[in-house]
């Protein structure tokens, strides 16, 4: 008897913009670790994409930009409808508030299988309680075949606030490439402008999009408090924030006015994130809201202790006294105190960083993340039985 293998199903991923960021890196890693003979992929960007992820095209992934204007751009709905009609995907996977309206457009375009993921909230709705967004999610909920949440916090919110049926919600933890992101094997590389790094420098680092929800102003204020202290250990401190966004100029201005610009380096967007993480001694994330932070996972895989705000999924990733320290959001004095502990007690940072990497390897592998998404896609595309085929790439 001849066996006919069905062609791979097409999944369209609808996102805001394909640029440097945790959600975007997670999407690229997911595509790389899904079995290509079962699923192929296209990425539709509401805005546009940068060259940072353009290499994914070599894997046969089509990237489409809708070039949505700021504010309400009614024309982008028509452009999305036309794109979906041209692609004819088997399944659409939208992400976050910016993409959820795509569920209605997809339904009108005839896309029968629809998944929506929540990766974290933005500044306009930090706690998911804003009435108009809650109503929007509730109105669109019947169109969504399955929800994915990257943290327990978001999973509970989808069930309790949005009204999603528990059996239609899966929590899938983000994964990290623990081969690309690894601890430094020797002395730290001399990064930054001349005079930034010294032999005994203690580099406080962070990576992320510098927008309001990430609250990098609090980290800058904590840093300025520390270097103003007479404690001799604090004079070794340097600040490295990798990323771009509307808050970068304000942070640079604050550092310049304080006379501390020579002790900080804010290089904007970079492609050598793994190498820059290995130049850090401590990773700090001052966010006001998070889902499950990819940058925290990358820092932990790099053997770094983490100071983070106790919001969203951060308390699941950072175990106080074991892999890092949690502080309340918008608390520069408590953040400064946590940073000071690591600067003054180097052995503590080494212990916490080693445990952090072990935790990531055990619980946040990329193949395990891909298996979670594969189970969701398979349950929708093959509702009457399992789909035979290879597992995600190891």
């Amino acid at each position: 008897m001849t066996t006919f293998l069905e062609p791979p199903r097409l999944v369209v991923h609808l996102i805001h913009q394909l640029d440097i960021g945790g959600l975007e890196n997670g999407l690229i890693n997911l595509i790389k670790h899904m079995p290509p003979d079962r699923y192929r992929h296209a990425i539709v960007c509401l805005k546009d994409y940068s060259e940072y992820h353009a290499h994914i095209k070599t894997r046969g992934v089509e990237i489409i930009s809708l070039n949505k204007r700021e504010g309400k751009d009614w024309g982008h709905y028509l452009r999305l409808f036309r794109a979906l009609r041209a692609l004819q995907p088997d399944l659409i996977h939208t992400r976050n508030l910016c993409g959820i309206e795509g569920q209605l457009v997809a339904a009108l375009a005839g896309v029968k299988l629809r998944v929506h993921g929540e990766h974290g909230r933005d500044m306009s709705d930090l706690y998911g309680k804003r009435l108009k967004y809650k109503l929007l999610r509730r109105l669109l909920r019947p169109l969504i075949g399955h929800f994915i949440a990257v943290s327990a916090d978001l999973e509970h919110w989808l069930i309790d606030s949005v009204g999603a049926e528990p059996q239609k919600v899966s929590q899938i933890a983000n994964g990290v490439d623990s081969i690309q992101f690894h601890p430094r094997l020797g002395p730290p590389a001399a990064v930054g402008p001349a005079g930034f790094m010294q032999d005994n420098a203690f580099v406080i680092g962070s990576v992320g999009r510098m927008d309001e929800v990430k609250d990098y102003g609090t980290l800058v204020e904590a840093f300025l408090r520390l270097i103003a202290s007479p404690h001799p250990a604090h004079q070794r401190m340097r600040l490295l924030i990798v990323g771009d966004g509307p808050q970068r100029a304000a942070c640079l201005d604050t550092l310049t006015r304080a006379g501390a610009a020579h002790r900080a380096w804010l290089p904007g967007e970079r492609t050598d994130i793994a190498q820059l993480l290995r130049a850090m001694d401590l990773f700090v994330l001052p966010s006001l809201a998070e889902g499950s932070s990819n940058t925290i996972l990358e820092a932990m895989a790099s053997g770094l202790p983490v100071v983070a705000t106790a919001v969203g999924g951060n308390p699941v990733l950072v175990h106080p006294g074991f892999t890092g320290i949690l502080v309340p959001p918008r608390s520069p004095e408590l953040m400064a105190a946590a940073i000071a502990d690591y600067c003054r007690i180097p052995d503590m940072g080494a212990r916490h960083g080693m445990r952090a990497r072990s935790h990531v390897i055990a619980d946040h592998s990329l193949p395990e993340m891909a298996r979670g998404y594969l189970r969701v896609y398979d349950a929708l595309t093959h509702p009457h039985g399992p789909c035979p085929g290879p597992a995600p790439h190891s």
Side-chain angles (χ1 to χ4, degrees), residues 158-213:
L158 282 170
I159 294 169
D160 299 336
S161 184
V162 179
E165 300 173 47
Q167 66 271 23
K168 290 187 175 182
V169 182
S170 296
Q171 181 193 337
I172 303 175
N174 287 337
V176 64
D177 186 342
S178 57
I179 297 175
Q180 178 187 7
F181 294 93
H182 63 80
R184 64 181 179 228
L185 305 176
V191 300
F196 173 70
M197 290 285 283
Q198 296 178 349
D199 290 341
N200 64 342
F202 181 84
V203 180
I204 304 156
S206 192
V207 179
R209 191 174 287 119
M210 296 191 71
D211 52 26
E212 200 173 353
V213 73

Side-chain angles (χ1 to χ4, degrees), residues 67-296:
N67 299 309
K68 180 182 180 296
R69 298 191 302 271
E70 291 299 325
K72 186 57 73 174
D73 177 6
W74 297 102
H76 95 276
Y77 296 118
L78 179 59
R79 295 192 292 275
L80 175 58
F81 178 85
R82 288 172 174 167
L84 293 176
R85 292 291 290 176
L87 290 168
Q88 296 188 331
D90 298 279
L91 184 151
I92 188 169
H93 185 161
T94 63
R95 288 164 171 83
N96 287 349
L97 177 64
C98 63
I100 197 168
E101 291 175 316
Q103 292 284 329
L104 176 58
V105 179
L108 294 173
V111 184
K112 293 183 171 56
L113 305 178
R114 299 178 292 272
V115 174
H116 180 71
E118 288 289 345
H119 293 249
R121 307 184 191 102
D122 56 31
M123 197 67 196
S124 62
D125 192 23
L126 279 180
Y127 306 106
K129 296 180 179 179
R130 195 167 174 181
L131 182 59
K132 71 173 184 177
Y133 296 142
K134 183 184 288 189
L135 289 174
L136 175 65
R137 287 184 169 101
R138 283 182 169 270
L139 283 171
L140 295 175
R141 183 191 63 211
L143 298 176
I144 299 170
H146 205 87
F147 290 89
I148 293 174
V150 298
S151 68
D153 168 67
L154 290 170
E155 179 185 18
H156 297 322
W157 167 72
L158 282 170
I159 294 169
D160 299 336
S161 184
V162 179
E165 300 173 47
Q167 66 271 23
K168 290 187 175 182
V169 182
S170 296
Q171 181 193 337
I172 303 175
N174 287 337
V176 64
D177 186 342
S178 57
I179 297 175
Q180 178 187 7
F181 294 93
H182 63 80
R184 64 181 179 228
L185 305 176
V191 300
F196 173 70
M197 290 285 283
Q198 296 178 349
D199 290 341
N200 64 342
F202 181 84
V203 180
I204 304 156
S206 192
V207 179
R209 191 174 287 119
M210 296 191 71
D211 52 26
E212 200 173 353
V213 73
K214 297 299 183 181
D215 194 27
Y216 279 110
T218 289
L219 174 54
V220 169
E221 186 177 342
F223 175 70
L224 292 177
R225 285 173 181 245
L226 287 164
I227 62 175
S229 161
H231 197 288
H234 296 184
Q235 302 314 303
R236 302 188 294 117
M237 290 183 175
R238 299 292 184 270
L239 178 64
L240 169 56
I241 303 177
V242 184
D244 204 356
Q247 298 301 306
R248 181 169 174 259
C251 289
L252 284 168
D253 183 60
T254 300
L255 290 161
T256 300
R257 285 188 285 105
H262 64 290
R263 298 175 67 166
W265 184 37
L266 281 64
E269 288 185 357
R270 300 277 296 204
T271 59
D272 54 345
I273 303 298
Q275 291 86 345
L276 291 174
L277 282 168
R278 288 192 283 274
M280 300 174 188
D281 297 285
L282 172 68
F283 187 85
V284 182
L285 193 68
S287 302
L288 301 177
E290 279 292 340
S292 179
S293 170
N294 278 288
T295 54
I296 283 183

